[in-house]
Amino acid sequence: MGDHACRRIRSGGLTATIKAHGAELCSLKDGGGVEFVWQAEPAWPRHAPLLFPIVGRLANDEMRHRGKTYRMTQHGFARDSRFAWVERGENRCTLALEDSEATRALYPFAFRLTATYAIDAAGLDLSLTVANTGKETLPVSLGGHPAFNWPLQPGMSKESYALTFTNEEPSPVRRVEGGLLLAATDPSPVRGTVLPLSESLFTNDAVILDPVNSHAVRYAAGQGAGPWLKMSWRGFRELGVWSKPTGAPFLCIEPWRGYASPVGFDGEFSDKPGLMHIAPGANEELSYRIEVGSS
């Protein structure tokens, strides 16, 4: 791709590719050529979008602020925005998105969202900073939505895979309907620390751990066969796990700070549950790391 649309960073045997559109990770390969990231096939044509300034949906895709209504579609506009390159190095790169006339027509706030990817021999770090560059409190959410191949190794059954959390996750899980958060909860499908994976898990859309107790999760097939990955996070409070209930060979492991509007919520955006409220001149830093290997 021309016009500096993509950047490849590498360290040891690992290579990651990041594109300016959405500051999106679109490939993470190990030295053996194993691709961990879903390749945006038609079943879901994205790789690992950033969710900003909302996670999930608002009722009627409408955001209310000080008597005005703005149109804000699911997961916000960052994933479809062109970020500017701030730094492009051999093993790291930084991109930034700032408010503009176009963003203020959708979201009347000043901000700067910075994404720094740094790769080392064991994995990839993504550090995200949301800065309030304006004069009023910034109500905002931020989430990751990386999709990984499922199975990670062709020929393995999807049901042989599980997510193993660092802590037990006994709390009831949240679900969405029509994109909005249901009031009722479901019993946790996590057995101790292990969530067995199957397509039927996603019949009612994403499984949302709110809050998530763990700081990391390992995604691998049983008996330690083949490629595996471990995802850890800082600053995020919820975790979404999602795939297509109709079956598609990807699994999304999504650290969130915020979630969809609860069914029935139609108030001021700043009163929406789950938001960060960033003071003028302040910022919030969140990050996640993907470590990969093969056993």
Side-chain angles (χ1 to χ4, degrees), residues 28-295:
L28 180 61
K29 286 183 179 176
D30 69 10
V34 173
E35 176 63 79
F36 290 85
V37 173
W38 164 251
Q39 290 303 290
E41 290 164 31
W44 190 64
R46 296 181 188 267
H47 301 276
L50 298 180
L51 315 183
F52 174 94
I54 60 169
V55 171
R57 276 194 69 192
L58 305 178
N60 304 312
D61 295 330
E62 290 177 347
M63 192 188 92
R64 307 196 194 296
H65 180 65
R66 297 191 172 171
K68 289 188 178 175
T69 299
Y70 299 83
R71 180 165 169 76
M72 175 72 70
T73 55
Q74 178 166 319
H75 295 325
F77 52 75
R79 61 183 185 166
D80 295 315
S81 298
R82 172 85 184 219
F83 282 62
W85 293 106
V86 177
E87 177 197 359
R88 285 192 291 257
E90 178 66 25
N91 57 11
R92 58 187 288 128
C93 63
T94 299
L95 308 94
L97 179 68
E98 298 192 52
D99 62 284
S100 63
E101 208 172 309
T103 70
R104 287 189 297 270
L106 306 169
Y107 179 68
F109 300 97
F111 68 85
R112 188 170 197 258
L113 171 61
T114 308
T116 297
Y117 289 90
I119 199 166
D120 56 53
L124 178 72
D125 281 293
L126 170 56
S127 302
L128 298 161
T129 303
V130 184
N132 181 353
T133 55
K135 294 183 171 64
E136 65 173 311
T137 299
L138 178 66
V140 66
S141 281
L142 180 64
H145 199 313
F148 303 108
N149 289 319
W150 180 30
L152 284 170
Q153 183 168 303
M156 297 281 290
S157 79
K158 291 170 92 171
E159 285 71 25
S160 66
Y161 285 81
L163 294 180
T164 305
F165 292 89
T166 48
N167 296 36
E168 292 196 354
E169 298 288 350
S171 301
V173 297
R174 312 291 297 267
R175 294 284 197 169
V176 292
E177 193 171 273
L180 301 177
L181 196 68
L182 292 168
T185 57
D186 284 357
S188 177
V190 184
R191 300 170 192 166
T193 60
V194 179
L195 175 60
L197 294 172
S198 67
E199 289 177 356
S200 62
L201 191 60
F202 307 107
T203 304
N204 297 324
D205 212 299
V207 175
I208 302 165
L209 283 69
D210 167 31
V212 61
N213 296 328
S214 301
H215 59 83
V217 66
R218 182 183 168 95
Y219 165 46
Q223 289 80 52
W228 55 266
L229 69 85
K230 179 185 172 188
M231 195 160 164
S232 52
W233 51 87
R234 293 177 65 181
F236 294 99
R237 295 182 178 175
E238 298 86 28
L239 189 77
V241 182
W242 178 71
S243 186
K244 293 266 187 177
T246 48
F250 70 83
L251 178 77
C252 294
I253 305 172
E254 311 176 35
W256 294 345
R257 184 72 177 269
Y259 38 81
S261 286
V263 169
F265 177 82
D266 201 20
E268 280 283 297
F269 180 68
S270 58
D271 294 332
K272 176 182 171 314
L275 294 174
M276 296 182 277
H277 294 271
I278 305 176
N283 61 55
E284 284 276 352
E285 295 183 26
L286 304 93
S287 63
Y288 69 78
R289 175 171 171 83
I290 304 164
E291 291 175 52
V292 299
S294 212
S295 43

